[in-house]
Amino acid sequence: MELKVEYDDSLPDDLTILRTKSHHSYVDKVSQLFEDPFPSNMIITQEGSSFSPIELNQIHFFFTENKAVYANTESGKQKVQERLYEIESRLPNHFVRISRFEIVNLQWVKRFEYTFGGRIILHLKSDEKLYSTRSYTKKIKNILFRK
């Protein structure tokens, strides 16, 4: 995708127009910047009755287990109150959904391995392995190879 910026002095100061041929996830990200110009780099986790902020760069991946959402970090899994789709909508581009149940931080991936079944194994720096589902393989490849 190519981006072209044009400035138009005739527009009101409080109006920005973004034109595109079709819907794309990049449009959602740009739109989100206008709604929340100071996006948080923190996620709030819960343990019992206490809540703690964690920086996004410390999170290896998000996953669901028994209908609850967790953030996996160096110190283990920590429960998150938000749904996976809610978290995904406000994450930076280096977080990628690899299945219905997992979103991985690409900054923590050591290497990728293709399987004969059309899946991708993500080897994390923490020596954990995550497996993409076939339905997300194409999206992952597009992100990796900037297609």
Side-chain angles (χ1 to χ4, degrees), residues 3-143:
L3 176 66
K4 181 179 177 183
V5 178
E6 295 178 0
Y7 298 96
D8 185 347
D9 291 336
S10 67
L11 292 175
D13 288 341
D14 61 347
L15 176 65
T16 299
I17 298 173
L18 176 64
R19 294 187 329 181
T20 182
K21 185 173 185 171
S22 61
H23 181 266
H24 196 278
S25 62
Y26 295 126
V27 176
D28 293 337
K29 297 265 185 195
V30 171
S31 177
Q32 184 179 5
L33 285 174
F34 279 88
E35 292 169 13
D36 183 10
F38 304 104
S40 174
N41 66 342
M42 307 289 256
I43 205 88
I44 304 299
T45 62
Q46 178 183 5
E47 187 173 332
S49 62
S50 70
F51 297 87
S52 304
I54 296 179
E55 289 187 27
L56 289 176
N57 63 4
Q58 295 178 337
I59 297 172
H60 302 179
F61 59 96
F62 293 96
F63 66 100
T64 58
E65 182 179 274
N66 298 326
K67 297 184 180 182
V69 177
Y70 296 92
N72 187 289
T73 65
E74 294 268 338
S75 58
K77 69 180 187 179
Q78 299 183 34
K79 191 172 185 178
V80 179
Q81 288 300 308
E82 297 173 80
R83 299 283 216 203
L84 210 54
Y85 72 89
E86 294 169 331
I87 294 169
E88 181 182 28
S89 71
R90 61 185 188 89
L91 289 173
N93 291 336
H94 59 272
F95 280 87
V96 177
R97 188 181 278 265
I98 62 169
S99 73
R100 279 183 38 210
F101 308 105
E102 294 175 312
I103 300 172
V104 67
N105 182 348
L106 293 178
Q107 295 175 332
W108 283 94
V109 176
K110 183 171 37 179
R111 67 185 175 93
F112 300 88
E113 179 182 341
Y114 294 108
T115 67
F116 291 112
R119 295 172 64 184
I120 298 174
I121 303 171
L122 295 89
H123 297 266
L124 302 185
K125 294 174 184 175
S126 60
D127 292 329
E128 293 172 283
K129 291 181 187 177
L130 300 178
Y131 297 84
S132 73
T133 57
R134 286 191 324 214
S135 60
Y136 284 92
T137 298
K138 183 177 180 180
K139 181 181 177 184
I140 296 167
K141 285 181 181 179
N142 287 344
I143 289 168

